[in-house]
Amino acid sequence: MANELTHIELFAGCGGMSLGMESAGFDLYFANELSPMAGETFAYNILNEDLESLSQKKASATKSLWIKSNFPQNDLENRLRENPFSTSIGKFSDLSNDVSLKEKLLIGNIDHLLDFLNKNPKIVRKLKLENIDLISGGPPCQSFSLAGKREKNNDKNQLPLSFARFAGLVKPKTVLLENVKGITAPFTEGDGEDKRKHYAWLEVSKAFVLEGFVPVCMMLNSKYFGVPQNRPRFILQAYRKDVFNKLKRLQVNNNILLTSERFYNLVIANKDNLENISERDFIYYDIESNPEIFDGIILPKVSHLYNDFITTNDAIEDIKNASIKYKLNKTKGQYPNFLNSVFANNVNHPIQIKNHEVRNHNFVVKSRFRFYQVIEQFKNGLKKGATDLFTGKEISKELLDKLKIEFSKHELLFLDNNGEEVSKVATNIEIETLIKSIPTRKHSQRALRKLEPAPAQLTIPDDLCHYDPNEPRTLTVREMARFQSFPDWYEFRSKVTTGGDMRKFEVPQYTQVGNAVPPLLALALGVLIKSQLQSLNVNN
């Protein structure tokens, strides 16, 4: 049965936002994603199109269309590994003036998509007639400003404007933009007297006003919505002006809406002098400071508070032995089985849980991870001292002696005379010798804390290791996906990881997961938007 509402997903990634929106009651009209690697995962899980299988058969995709490519339609093998930043001169395209975009994934640059739409007004008219309820996505925004100079050769600085222009072209009822917490930190442009401070979140808000939308901004944290992860995220929801007016009439004297309306009017009045509008003229609402106003009316409804947060243990304890081939809905974890029920499996995937392969570590790495597991239990400043010791910083003899005493209370990982790994409580001399043999310069590495939500997901797998002493290893893709609230049936495709210069354009499985919008967070936002639109009975 089709859902009542429709959405378009830009910067779709591997599909976290779309999965949550589908569960909230939105039908995907079409999606756009730059990376063919992330697109392969999206197509497989959201559209039920297996691009790898089609590639092996030398067949063409029907639901995944390339906006531009250097390779023909039946060469999926090369298309799936193509550098998306090299396609500007690509002579192949799957788009034509009579193409149907419905239920499609469009792979490629959003600006190339905008160029196509501007050259095909008939398709734009059709999109407007669809009266799309929502356009959502997460473009990079960290150094975006409407005024002043922009870094040359940095296309990312233009992407928020591309998002806003797309919204202005299609005119959905509402827009949802997701971004990292860093969007709220100030940045500067120019030199000398031309030096100017900007706030990207404010600049993005202005951009949507200029396209006819009234923004409401908020800082969320996924842990308040049942995600086992301490993941702050900036969210902008902007209403088409006529939709906003109806909502304002329904929510009389709502301070959040009144503040947004004042900002909208201020931007319109100063559209030729936008630099006159500063961070003092608008506000974003922080869930950490005022959780009580997140009540499901204008801001999404909180489902978990403080002692009720989902923990690391809740998320991955049931699959910690990665040598076992776990089956869907057969594990003992209440949280993962909840995810599998909330996000129903609409595609015919195998019953075995995928993406749970452990990476191979040598002894030095495993022994170092065991140290990280141990020092997570240290108190009274000893954890910082141990970290400094690992990363080559000078520490006092007094602190070193205290660390040796503390380490001697825990089992560490050694090599015995037979070259086998063993855990044992060590003497001071053994501890000092071991520390010298496993140094690191990485400051970001740490072990998970079992009874807390996980730290914000990272795209580099080596930065986190398991909490269990029998598992001195990095997390699997599946474990990271659990922290992001993906159900176990959701299978991540393409390469597992990458490195070197290929990091500039490849989006392997770990990066796909780390960059994703948590589906449970998307679900909460989708439920809010659906409730708002249905309460307005918006038909125009």
Side-chain angles (χ1 to χ4, degrees), residues 85-139:
F85 301 109
S86 71
T87 61
S88 296
I89 57 174
K91 61 181 181 178
F92 300 99
S93 176
D94 302 339
L95 304 186
S96 61
N97 58 13
D98 61 349
V99 67
S100 172
L101 301 182
K102 191 172 184 180
E103 298 179 0
K104 299 293 195 301
L105 169 64
L106 309 181
I107 296 176
N109 190 310
I110 187 175
D111 289 321
H112 296 165
L113 176 58
L114 281 168
D115 289 342
F116 169 78
L117 293 175
N118 287 326
K119 293 174 183 175
N120 291 275
K122 183 175 74 170
I123 293 178
V124 175
R125 286 195 296 270
K126 183 178 179 181
L127 283 174
K128 288 182 177 178
L129 289 174
E130 292 289 340
N131 201 16
I132 299 295
D133 293 289
L134 169 69
I135 295 178
S136 55

Side-chain angles (χ1 to χ4, degrees), residues 378-382 395-409 428 431:
F378 285 8
K379 299 178 181 179
N380 301 322
L382 290 180
I395 64 171
S396 67
K397 183 179 184 303
E398 180 184 5
L399 180 55
L400 180 60
D401 290 339
K402 289 181 179 179
L403 286 172
K404 289 176 181 178
I405 293 171
E406 191 63 31
F407 273 121
S408 69
K409 300 175 184 177
N428 283 355
I431 292 168

Side-chain angles (χ1 to χ4, degrees), residues 35-251:
S35 166
M37 295 174 73
E40 183 179 354
T41 294
F42 187 102
Y44 186 73
N45 293 279
I46 304 296
L47 301 179
N48 198 21
E49 181 166 61
D50 189 338
L51 295 177
E52 181 182 9
S53 178
L54 291 172
S55 170
Q56 293 171 353
K57 298 174 184 176
K58 305 296 182 184
S60 300
T62 57
K63 299 178 182 179
S64 305
L65 307 180
W66 267 253
I67 302 170
K68 280 189 174 185
S69 177
N70 296 301
F71 304 97
Q73 195 169 15
N74 62 352
D75 190 359
L76 280 175
E77 182 178 1
N78 280 309
R79 281 188 167 194
L80 289 171
R81 300 296 175 262
E82 187 173 21
N83 179 348
F85 301 109
S86 71
T87 61
S88 296
I89 57 174
K91 61 181 181 178
F92 300 99
S93 176
D94 302 339
L95 304 186
S96 61
N97 58 13
D98 61 349
V99 67
S100 172
L101 301 182
K102 191 172 184 180
E103 298 179 0
K104 299 293 195 301
L105 169 64
L106 309 181
I107 296 176
N109 190 310
I110 187 175
D111 289 321
H112 296 165
L113 176 58
L114 281 168
D115 289 342
F116 169 78
L117 293 175
N118 287 326
K119 293 174 183 175
N120 291 275
K122 183 175 74 170
I123 293 178
V124 175
R125 286 195 296 270
K126 183 178 179 181
L127 283 174
K128 288 182 177 178
L129 289 174
E130 292 289 340
N131 201 16
I132 299 295
D133 293 289
L134 169 69
I135 295 178
S136 55
C141 302
Q142 281 66 27
S143 57
F144 169 74
S145 68
L146 286 167
K149 300 176 182 178
R150 294 191 181 96
E151 293 177 43
K152 294 180 180 179
N153 303 321
N154 188 349
D155 293 336
K156 289 184 177 181
N157 286 347
Q158 300 287 346
L159 292 176
L161 193 56
S162 300
F163 191 155
R165 285 172 176 162
F166 188 96
L169 197 64
V170 177
K171 300 293 184 186
K173 294 167 190 170
T174 187
V175 171
L176 185 69
L177 180 144
E178 179 264 357
N179 215 269
V180 298
K181 184 178 181 179
I183 191 177
T184 62
F187 67 97
T188 57
E189 288 184 322
D191 300 305
E193 293 182 359
D194 294 330
K195 196 171 185 179
R196 188 181 297 273
K197 182 188 293 185
H198 295 288
Y199 289 82
W201 74 271
L202 184 69
E203 298 296 302
V204 172
S205 299
K206 295 176 189 177
F208 279 100
V209 169
L210 296 176
E211 296 292 347
F213 294 86
V214 186
V216 173
C217 297
M218 62 198 89
M219 182 66 69
L220 304 182
N221 192 316
S222 297
K223 65 184 180 182
Y224 288 94
F225 302 94
V227 179
Q229 185 186 166
N230 184 27
R231 186 182 180 90
R233 276 301 184 270
F234 174 84
I235 300 292
L236 177 149
Q237 185 185 350
Y239 306 89
R240 198 174 67 202
K241 187 60 167 66
D242 63 303
V243 175
F244 176 85
N245 291 340
K246 291 184 178 183
L247 183 63
K248 185 168 169 282
R249 286 195 293 270
L250 187 66
Q251 300 292 333

Side-chain angles (χ1 to χ4, degrees), residues 251-285:
Q251 300 292 333
V252 179
N253 296 326
N254 184 287
N255 287 330
I256 296 174
L257 297 181
L258 291 174
T259 298
S260 292
E261 185 176 46
R262 284 193 294 270
F263 176 75
Y264 177 90
N265 292 334
L266 188 63
V267 172
I268 296 299
N270 291 272
K271 61 183 179 180
D272 295 324
N273 298 285
L274 291 174
E275 66 274 9
N276 292 338
I277 301 172
S278 73
E279 73 280 3
R280 294 185 295 274
D281 297 312
F282 203 28
I283 188 174
Y284 61 85
Y285 302 93

Side-chain angles (χ1 to χ4, degrees), residues 328-329 335-345 486-490:
L328 286 174
N329 298 314
Y335 162 77
N337 288 328
F338 164 74
L339 294 179
N340 293 339
S341 64
V342 170
F343 305 112
N345 183 0
F486 280 96
D488 282 343
W489 58 263
Y490 206 92

Side-chain angles (χ1 to χ4, degrees), residues 213-443:
F213 294 86
V214 186
V216 173
C217 297
M218 62 198 89
M219 182 66 69
L220 304 182
N221 192 316
S222 297
K223 65 184 180 182
Y224 288 94
F225 302 94
V227 179
Q229 185 186 166
N230 184 27
R231 186 182 180 90
R233 276 301 184 270
F234 174 84
I235 300 292
L236 177 149
Q237 185 185 350
Y239 306 89
R240 198 174 67 202
K241 187 60 167 66
D242 63 303
V243 175
F244 176 85
N245 291 340
K246 291 184 178 183
L247 183 63
K248 185 168 169 282
R249 286 195 293 270
L250 187 66
Q251 300 292 333
V252 179
N253 296 326
N254 184 287
N255 287 330
I256 296 174
L257 297 181
L258 291 174
T259 298
S260 292
E261 185 176 46
R262 284 193 294 270
F263 176 75
Y264 177 90
N265 292 334
L266 188 63
V267 172
I268 296 299
N270 291 272
K271 61 183 179 180
D272 295 324
N273 298 285
L274 291 174
E275 66 274 9
N276 292 338
I277 301 172
S278 73
E279 73 280 3
R280 294 185 295 274
D281 297 312
F282 203 28
I283 188 174
Y284 61 85
Y285 302 93
D286 193 338
I287 199 169
E288 300 285 1
S289 303
N290 301 105
E292 70 280 357
I293 65 175
F294 290 80
D295 55 9
I297 298 175
I298 303 301
L299 306 177
K301 186 176 179 61
V302 167
S303 61
H304 292 68
L305 274 174
Y306 310 120
N307 295 330
D308 192 33
F309 293 142
I310 305 298
T311 69
T312 293
N313 180 78
D314 297 327
I316 64 172
E317 175 71 14
D318 63 312
I319 56 169
K320 66 182 180 182
N321 186 347
S323 64
I324 296 176
K325 302 298 183 184
Y326 296 100
K327 293 184 178 181
L328 286 174
N329 298 314
K330 299 296 183 181
T331 70
K332 297 178 181 178
Q334 183 177 351
Y335 162 77
N337 288 328
F338 164 74
L339 294 179
N340 293 339
S341 64
V342 170
F343 305 112
N345 183 0
N346 296 321
V347 292
N348 186 28
H349 291 332
I351 61 172
Q352 183 177 306
I353 295 175
K354 297 293 187 70
N355 309 118
H356 195 37
E357 294 76 30
V358 174
R359 301 176 70 209
N360 292 322
H361 301 309
N362 60 31
F363 166 76
V364 169
V365 172
K366 287 191 283 188
S367 183
R368 186 185 301 146
F369 284 159
R370 178 58 192 144
F371 263 75
Y372 288 132
Q373 292 173 345
V374 168
I375 67 175
E376 280 297 336
Q377 305 169 55
F378 285 8
K379 299 178 181 179
N380 301 322
L382 290 180
K383 178 182 174 182
K384 182 181 183 305
T387 302
D388 288 345
L389 184 64
F390 276 155
T391 54
K393 292 184 179 179
E394 290 288 333
I395 64 171
S396 67
K397 183 179 184 303
E398 180 184 5
L399 180 55
L400 180 60
D401 290 339
K402 289 181 179 179
L403 286 172
K404 289 176 181 178
I405 293 171
E406 191 63 31
F407 273 121
S408 69
K409 300 175 184 177
H410 301 270
E411 287 192 340
L412 301 173
L413 195 58
F414 291 84
L415 282 176
D416 64 14
N417 293 332
N418 297 319
E420 297 176 350
E421 299 157 9
V422 294
S423 295
K424 67 175 183 176
V425 175
T427 65
N428 283 355
I429 295 177
E430 288 175 321
I431 292 168
E432 190 167 3
T433 301
L434 184 61
I435 288 173
K436 290 179 179 178
S437 70
I438 57 171
T440 180
R441 293 190 179 277
K442 295 197 70 171
H443 295 263

